[in-house]
Each structure stands twice: as C-alpha cells, then as structure tokens.
Amino acid sequence: MAGTSSTFEILDDRFNECVKTSAQLDKLFEECRWAEGPAYFPAGRYLVWSDIPNDRMLRWDETTGTVGVFRQPSNYSNGNTVDRNGRLITCEHGTRRVTRTEHDGSITVLADRFQGKRLNSPNDVVERSDGSVWFTDPAYGIDGDYEGYRAESEIGGCHVYRIDPVSGECQIVADDFVRPNGLAFSPDERKLYVSDTGASHVPNGPRHIRVFDVSEDGTKLSGGEVFATCTAGSFDGFRLDYAGRIWASADDGVHCYHPDGTLLGKVLVPEAVANVEFGGPRRNRLFICATTSLYAILLPVTGVRR
Ligand code: MG
C-alpha cells in the first residue's frame, strides 16, 4: 500500500519489504558542515566519515555511541570505502589524490595523477572484488576554497578512473560526464552505477545515475544509459543492498530504486543527503550523511556483500 509516514514515503508496494515503518530515524551527530563519505568497519564496530569544509574525518563508535576526531587535517577528504582487507580508502580534495590507510597507520597513495597531470579532486571510490579501485574525479575540490584549494584543472575534464590491482596504473573508464560523483557495483559486479551531478555547474545539466556494463575481464565499461533521474536535487553518493536495489542520496532523503529503474520509496531525512553506507554487525543499518548530521535507520534488508 502506498503512503507516507513521518520517516518513509512508499511509492511502490515492493518497498514494503525494504523498510519497517515503525523504525525510527536516529540522529547520531550534528556538528558537521558537510558530512560525506561514510565507511563502516565491522571489525572495530565504528563508522568513519568526512566533514569536508571542516577539513576533518570523524569516527562514531557503535559500542559507546560517542564521536571523536579520526583525522584532522584530513586534506579535505570526501568519499571513503573499506577494502577487502579492512583498510580505509579515501578520496582527498586538498591533495587531489586517492589514498589507502594501512593497518600500521601509514598512508599509501593509490593515485594522484593521470599521464603526469594532477587529478582534479577525487570524490568517491569503490573497490571491486578483483582488487581494482574505481573512483570519480569531478572538480568540486578545485572550484573554490570551501572544500579544497582553488586551482585550474590540469586534465581538463571530469572522468571516472580505474586503478589496476597489479600494475597500479590509473586508466580512464568513462570520459563523457559533466561531474561524475557517487559510484557502486551491482551485487554480481557486472554493472557499475555512476551518478552525474553536473546540474551544479551546467544549466539543466545532468542529475541522474547512469548504468554501465563491466567487461568480462573487469577492466572496461560500455553502455552508460541513464538509469534514473533525481526528482529532488541531485544524486550524490549511493550504495546497493543484497538484492541490487540502489539507495541513493537526494535533497529530501534517501531514494530507493529497484534494479528495473522504479523509484520504490524514500527514507525521509530533514536535511539534504550526500551519501549512505550499510553497516552494523548485520549490515542492515543504513548510515546517512546529511549536511550537518549523521543519521542511521535500521532496515529489514542488508547491504551487498562484497
Ligand atoms: Mg560525492
């Protein structure tokens, strides 16, 4: 039955199995300027995320509910993910690079240049199960001094890249975006979804998610048709659940799409959402980075296992 509660908007009957309408939206923290890049660490039972304009990363501890500073300065970090070995991978606007934090705390640079030219400002990142790291490189971190350092683009475009797990080489996998932003693989990793937030810079520009086919060897993309167009602002970051549904950030909350492209419903959030992450011991708690705050809600579905 379609309907709206204070927390959910149900637009398709299939959304009823995705939410528990009695579930509450919990606010876990509220002192950010622009919360982004949530990454959940199962072994430590904590969530790390970025507070970009404040040039810091925060950590919410699941066992105590407390929040502390994880890293400051953070080089204006944005998107984060946890790799197969439990290590943090981070996009940094300030240093215009993608890094990995090793288990001993040292930082390894995974990419900072393409063919000798500096990246713009990596925004969001995901690892594939073959160890390759895929990231987007829009220009938000060099457009001004609010969330990075103003600079000209050396590459002259905003592309999607793949870092090879063996050679470490960085290659362009999609070069027809205005502002590529969030990205995530389907559960079988045969599809890659990438959002374009180009409407922020081009009148009537893109505010959609595109879907690509990943080549058999996992190194190239084809297709790239529009999967869904945002009905409230733009899609920034997003994650998939085990059934391949897309839980995408939007201005009025989190929009949930069936893999067939239908908007099933929304988790309504009182602030504009930038990104989400499935976490908790059972991976069924959706963490939501929304402007000044970190929220979470318990769901009857779990995030995709990578
Ligand atoms: Mg983003």
Side-chain angles (χ1 to χ4, degrees):
M1 185 174 65
T4 303
S5 70
S6 59
T7 309
F8 301 103
E9 190 173 335
I10 296 170
L11 301 169
D12 184 292
D13 280 345
R14 293 173 289 180
F15 197 49
N16 284 301
E17 67 185 74
C18 305
V19 294
K20 186 79 177 165
T21 51
S22 59
Q24 325 267 315
L25 182 71
D26 302 319
K27 184 187 274 193
L28 305 178
F29 188 73
E30 61 175 5
E31 293 167 27
C32 299
R33 287 189 195 278
W34 187 254
E36 245 285 10
Y40 181 81
F41 291 79
R45 296 194 61 190
Y46 58 86
L47 182 97
V48 167
W49 79 98
S50 301
D51 178 7
I52 310 176
N54 281 325
D55 194 15
R56 63 178 181 173
M57 298 170 82
L58 298 167
R59 175 178 48 208
W60 173 81
D61 186 323
E62 187 164 51
T63 65
T64 62
T66 55
V67 171
V69 173
F70 175 79
R71 180 180 294 168
Q72 188 172 31
S74 62
N75 300 322
Y76 293 99
S77 69
N78 190 336
N80 296 289
T81 194
V82 183
D83 78 2
R84 294 159 305 142
N85 296 305
R87 296 170 298 191
L88 172 68
I89 298 181
T90 300
C91 294
E92 300 177 2
H93 283 183
T95 36
R96 301 168 67 168
R97 63 186 190 178
V98 179
T99 63
R100 183 173 64 217
T101 302
E102 307 295 347
H103 290 303
D104 67 3
S106 61
I107 305 284
T108 300
V109 178
L110 300 183
D112 61 355
R113 281 167 199 275
F114 175 71
Q115 294 183 343
K117 295 175 179 166
R118 294 187 77 188
L119 297 171
N120 299 324
S121 51
N123 188 290
D124 215 342
V125 60
V126 64
E127 187 195 41
R128 199 164 181 267
S129 59
D130 60 8
S132 56
V133 172
W134 302 59
F135 68 96
T136 56
D137 186 42
Y140 295 112
I142 57 171
D143 282 338
D145 290 306
Y146 186 70
E147 49 177 318
Y149 302 96
R150 182 190 303 275
E152 290 298 314
S153 172
E154 295 185 14
I155 291 169
C158 299
H159 308 315
V160 184
Y161 295 85
R162 172 187 180 274
I163 304 169
D164 189 85
V166 178
S167 68
E169 203 176 314
C170 193
Q171 66 177 116
I172 293 174
V173 288
D175 63 359
D176 59 347
F177 278 77
V178 179
R179 287 283 189 281
N181 204 316
L183 73 176
F185 287 101
S186 61
D188 63 8
E189 298 189 327
R190 291 182 178 179
K191 292 186 188 303
L192 178 70
Y193 297 91
V194 188
S195 67
D196 194 332
T197 48
S200 63
H201 281 73
V202 178
N204 300 314
R207 45 195 186 91
H208 52 225
I209 292 173
R210 296 169 61 189
V211 58
F212 293 86
D213 293 314
V214 181
S215 63
E216 204 64 47
D217 67 358
T219 67
K220 294 184 181 66
L221 299 179
S222 60
E225 63 271 20
V226 173
F227 169 77
T229 298
C230 195
T231 55
S234 290
F235 299 121
D236 193 332
F238 54 90
R239 296 282 200 272
L240 272 62
D241 68 22
Y242 75 100
R245 288 172 293 241
I246 292 95
W247 297 75
S249 64
D251 274 8
D252 60 351
V254 181
H255 294 192
C256 179
Y257 282 85
H258 189 274
D260 70 10
T262 307
L263 176 58
L264 299 176
K266 304 176 181 180
V267 180
L268 300 172
V269 179
E271 300 179 74
V273 177
N275 217 330
V276 301
E277 163 81 323
F278 284 95
R282 298 194 51 211
R283 217 170 168 72
N284 66 337
R285 195 170 188 189
L286 188 70
F287 291 92
I288 301 167
C289 282
T291 312
T292 67
S293 305
L294 174 69
Y295 297 89
I297 193 158
L298 210 54
L299 298 174
V301 300
T302 60
V304 65
R305 291 268 172 201
R306 286 167 298 153

